[in-house]
Amino acid sequence: MPRRILSLTLFFLAVAVLSTAQTVYMQDTPADTGVEPNPDTGPMWVSQDIWVRNSPDPGYQPYPFTESSPPWTLPAHQNPVYRDPLKSTPNYVYVEVRNHSQSASTGTERLRLYWAKASTGLSWPTQWVDYEPGGPRTLLYGAEITKPRKNGATASAAEQSAYANAIVAIGTNPAYVFPMGMDFWHTQQTVHGEMGSYSNIHETLAFLPWHREYVNRYELLLQQYDPTVKLLYWDWTTNPTSSLSFMGSLTGSVGTPFEPALSPPAVTRGVSGSPPAEPDSSVLARSPYGPFTSFCGNFGCFLPPSTAPFMSALEDYSHNLSHPYIGGTSGAMRSPATAAQDPFFFMLHGNVDRLWAQWQRNPSDLPRLDPMQTYGASLGSDTNLSVTMSPWDGSPGPPHRLQYLPDRALGDHYFRRHLRCRKTSHRSLGGLAADLRYRAAHHPGPAARPGSRNPDSVVSAESRQLCQLRLR
Ligand SMILES: [Cu+2]
């Protein structure tokens, strides 16, 4: 029934943010030449520059291509539908970015992509930006897919309190409970505590992809209470004691708003002095991804040489020092078994993931956006990168409560999961079936922000580039 199909599909709208000249854009319609505003008022669903998949397209590469020599063929149409975010089954959204000028883009442009539940009367922007037709704290019916995470220290007071409120809600409100009876918040604690003891998620190359999946799922759980909330992060080169006071006390008991609401277990912290992390610029200058090398031992951590692999330095220096910096001598953050009991854990790991995303978006090293190349030679030589991700993969794993997580039987691999956004090449722009509705547009907007998960990288002169994003 066409009507039913329509009700399940999504509309998409992309907004390309331009730098100096109008050289990078997406087509609203086939007649759109990049002139702003687009004089063509044709319907949004005839744009060729956005399309959606159930499964990622095989064979793509994250590199610009010329129109005359497309390197791959667009597979057959699929029928993506709205998915329950708790099932964690993504759709994949592709956006083509065009550059018809004589010069390359700067690599700092920002792509913004929006979705909305299908409707015949969608209006921009009210039904595309955090659209909740039933009122606040219901389901979203429209939002920006590319909405960046925010620095907790510079988020607005309203964003800070909304974030903390969502944490308390998913740990105390009986509406936010998994089928096995454990609330969302304490389930997340259990996942990290048990996986941290049994598996390969620390001190291996799998550290970054596993924790990316983990914090993404955590963010989804917060959004069940307040769908407009995004994960906030702590910039670990800054002292958190005053700027992040909405996260409770940084010394002694965390107190309000988390204690006693989320107890047991009780959580303490012990922040003192200056944060110990390496500057972002030094972390981001490192290459390649692996192999894993330890820089922390029984006698403390030593600053890795500038040639140290990226992920090793990130995990085994800045990350490993930041945990006890927050936890102090006896707080939850000191140990992998207890760290996720502290809501601050997710702000720290939001920063870990932000730095990885920034490293991947280095315009001078596009293969870092390619899931088959970002790990370099380590992908073929380190089995930690090719095994499935427990506890979400259906593998035996720890014989505990985790087996009741909702999508345990799905199965997926690190290399398929590790990117929120990839760019690739694309040949045909046609072939979209009539039940897939979307819209492309281009409007001025804010400049790229550090920490956002923007699909920004350089688009060569007179070329096209493609970005893939996951939409849950
Ligand atoms: Cu961990």
Side-chain angles (χ1 to χ4, degrees), residues 149 215-223 230-231 453:
R149 292 174 183 160
V215 298
N216 284 343
R217 287 168 182 265
Y218 170 74
E219 186 176 52
L220 280 171
L221 297 180
L222 295 178
Q223 289 167 349
K230 300 296 285 186
L231 185 63
R453 289 170 291 178

Side-chain angles (χ1 to χ4, degrees), residues 192-193 195-196 201-202 207 210-211 214 315 319 323 336 339-340 345 349:
H192 193 269
M195 292 307 301
I201 66 172
H202 298 114
F207 170 77
W210 190 91
H211 284 81
Y214 181 56
E315 179 187 9
H319 161 268
H323 265 274
F345 172 96
H349 271 273

Side-chain angles (χ1 to χ4, degrees), residues 419-435:
L419 287 175
R420 298 286 288 191
C421 175
R422 313 178 233 199
K423 291 199 174 187
T424 183
S425 49
H426 158 55
R427 183 182 67 82
S428 169
L429 296 177
L432 284 166
D435 64 336

Side-chain angles (χ1 to χ4, degrees), residues 196-335:
S197 306
Y198 284 86
S199 72
N200 62 346
I201 66 172
H202 298 114
E203 308 268 304
T204 81
L205 297 187
F207 170 77
L208 290 180
W210 190 91
H211 284 81
R212 171 166 291 179
E213 186 65 23
Y214 181 56
V215 298
N216 284 343
R217 287 168 182 265
Y218 170 74
E219 186 176 52
L220 280 171
L221 297 180
L222 295 178
Q223 289 167 349
Q224 300 311 295
Y225 171 72
D226 183 348
T228 67
V229 161
K230 300 296 285 186
L231 185 63
L232 300 180
Y233 66 85
W234 166 47
D235 174 356
W236 61 26
T237 64
T238 63
N239 192 310
T241 48
S242 58
S243 58
L244 300 182
S245 58
F246 66 98
M247 288 297 290
S249 171
L250 272 291
T251 56
S253 169
V254 297
T256 54
F258 306 123
E259 296 279 2
L262 298 177
S263 299
V267 171
T268 63
R269 297 173 182 153
V271 170
S272 67
S274 300
E278 195 178 13
D280 288 2
S281 58
S282 302
V283 175
L284 296 172
R286 300 183 178 285
S287 185
Y289 181 88
F292 178 76
T293 308
S294 178
F295 300 104
C296 287
N298 293 336
F299 303 104
C301 301
F302 66 94
L303 187 65
S306 61
T307 54
F310 166 75
M311 77 74 47
S312 311
L314 181 62
E315 179 187 9
D316 216 60
Y317 187 77
S318 294
H319 161 268
N320 277 6
L321 288 174
S322 292
H323 265 274
Y325 173 72
I326 299 297
T329 55
S330 58
M333 286 282 281
R334 279 201 75 84
S335 162

Side-chain angles (χ1 to χ4, degrees), residues 3 31 56-57 78 150 153 174 185 266 307 364 460:
R3 187 179 178 82
D57 286 352
Q78 299 170 2
K150 290 197 169 182
W185 168 254
T307 54
S364 65
S460 302

